[in-house]
Amino acid sequence: MSSDALTTRERILQSTWTALLDGSTPRVRMSDIANSAGISRQALYLHFANRTELLIETTHYIDRVKDVDRRLARSRHASSGLERLEAYVDAWGNYIPEIYGVANALIVMGVTDDGARLAWEGRLAAVREGCEVIVTTLSREGQLSQRLSPPEATDVLCAHLSVETWWYLRDRRGWSQTRYVEAMQQTLKAMLLA
C-alpha cells in the first residue's frame, strides 16, 4: 500500500474516531466519514468494505494510537496472578476514561446498528480474554477463591471492569479516577483471592 493510501486510511480512521467522540451523529454514516476525511464515499469503500469493518478498525486504530500494548505490558509480564490482576486493573481502569466517548457511542449505536455492536463486542472479547488469563493464573497458583468457579470469577472481574461500572462510579457517584482504580483493585482481590 502506498504512503498516500496509508495517509488516507489514517485520515478515515481519525475522522471516524472524531465522529464517535463528539457524538454529533446518532449513527456514524459512511458519507459523513468520507466528507470529514475529505474523500469521496467511493474512495472510502476502497479502504473499508462496510461500516462494521470501519468501526472495528477504528477501535484497533485507537488502541495503536493510545499504545494499549505498552499499557498492558506490566500485566502481561507479571510474575504472579496477584501482580497481573493489580496491573491489569490499573491499565484497563485508566484506559476507560480515554476511550469512554467511543465506547459509549458504540454501546448506544449497537442497540440498532450491527456494525457498532460487533465493534464493541470485539473490544469486550479482548477485555474478557485478559480477565480469563488472570483467573487462570490465579487458579494455577492456588490463589483463586473456591467461592467462584473460574468462569464465574472471570464474569465478576469483567463486570467490575466494565465501562458501565466505571461510568456509574465516576459520573453518577463522583468517585475520583484514583479512587476507582484503588477500589477495584481492593474489591477484586477480596472477591477473587483465596
Side-chain angles (χ1 to χ4, degrees), residues 67-170:
D67 201 359
V68 75
D69 287 330
R70 180 190 54 78
R71 294 167 186 250
L72 291 171
R74 196 173 120 235
S75 175
R76 290 174 176 161
H77 301 296
S79 60
S80 71
L82 174 58
E83 184 184 342
R84 185 178 283 264
L85 173 63
E86 290 175 335
Y88 191 80
V89 171
D90 181 62
W92 177 248
N94 283 308
Y95 193 46
I96 293 172
E98 295 183 43
I99 62 162
Y100 177 71
V102 171
N104 189 51
L106 292 173
I107 291 167
V108 170
M109 287 170 47
V111 173
T112 59
D113 183 315
D114 286 341
R117 182 182 51 75
L118 290 170
W120 186 239
E121 284 177 1
R123 167 55 50 227
L124 294 180
V127 172
R128 184 170 182 82
E129 183 178 306
C131 292
E132 285 175 331
V133 170
I134 292 165
V135 168
T136 299
T137 304
L138 290 171
S139 181
R140 186 178 63 243
E141 294 171 350
Q143 296 296 315
L144 186 64
S145 169
Q146 297 301 307
R147 295 182 303 269
L148 298 167
S149 69
E152 290 170 336
T154 301
D155 290 343
V156 166
L157 182 52
C158 287
H160 278 74
L161 296 180
S162 72
V163 169
E164 293 86 353
T165 298
W166 174 87
W167 172 82
Y168 177 78
L169 294 173
R170 290 276 289 126

